[in-house]
Amino acid sequence: MNDLDNLFQSNKDWAEAIKAEDPHFFEKLSAQQFPEYLWIGCSDSRVPANQIVGLMPGEMFVHRNIANCVVHTDLNCLSVIHYAVSVLKVKHIIVTGHYGCGGVAAALTNQQFGLVDHWIRNIRDVYQKQKAELENITDEKERLNRLCELNVKQQALNVTALPAVQNAWKEGRELTVHGWIYSLEDGLLKKLTDSIGSIEQVAEQFRVI
């Protein structure tokens, strides 16, 4: 049986390197977390949230799922957002997709993939909404990457429609929602949306306060 001893050794090396730099790091980390950011990203192993933006453990609260979706029936994601906003008092929610996303690519096909079909239906809805623009793009890679961008924009809007987010604005809290995308080819982030930080920036039909 493979007990993944290499991962335990890597963990030990990492912890020792951190303590060499800051002997009290884990002591302080275990006391409390005070992140200013909630990152909602894709589960893709090539998109590690903290490393991309150069933050240490404890500095970013993270939720990841296939194709960085924020769905109003996903209690997991909604619970993470509620806790981040209402308890941790994060100041920024960052929805981050990536170019070449496999979940988005699956939504562009007419194939069945199993249980995940129910999940990527949300991305197919984005495609249907933006069908005219997307079908004018003849290059397949370009079309995929454009849908990756449009999906981020839609998911960021979905965040702004949540009661937990709108209640924070009603209370006068500093909370801003962002939509970004990451390139696997050069490791750089790109801003896709304007920062949304008030109920006035939310379409009236999605305002719940």
Side-chain angles (χ1 to χ4, degrees), residues 56-95:
M56 294 292 289
E59 295 183 315
M60 178 176 281
F61 202 56
V62 177
H63 175 77
R64 296 170 69 176
N65 60 48
I66 294 173
N68 43 273
C69 290
V70 178
V71 184
H72 69 278
T73 55
D74 178 13
L75 296 182
N76 186 355
C77 183
L78 298 184
S79 297
V80 168
I81 293 172
H82 185 272
Y83 182 77
V85 172
S86 302
V87 178
L88 297 179
K89 310 292 186 184
V90 298
K91 295 181 179 179
H92 301 275
I93 301 176
I94 307 163
V95 179

Side-chain angles (χ1 to χ4, degrees), residues 24-70:
H24 301 291
F25 177 82
F26 291 107
E27 179 183 340
K28 291 181 291 185
L29 186 66
S30 63
Q32 184 63 51
Q33 60 172 340
F34 298 102
E36 291 191 6
Y37 314 96
L38 167 61
W39 174 286
I40 300 174
C42 183
S43 298
D44 193 300
S45 62
R46 300 167 294 176
V47 191
N50 284 61
Q51 290 93 323
I52 286 174
V53 289
L55 294 180
M56 294 292 289
E59 295 183 315
M60 178 176 281
F61 202 56
V62 177
H63 175 77
R64 296 170 69 176
N65 60 48
I66 294 173
N68 43 273
C69 290
V70 178

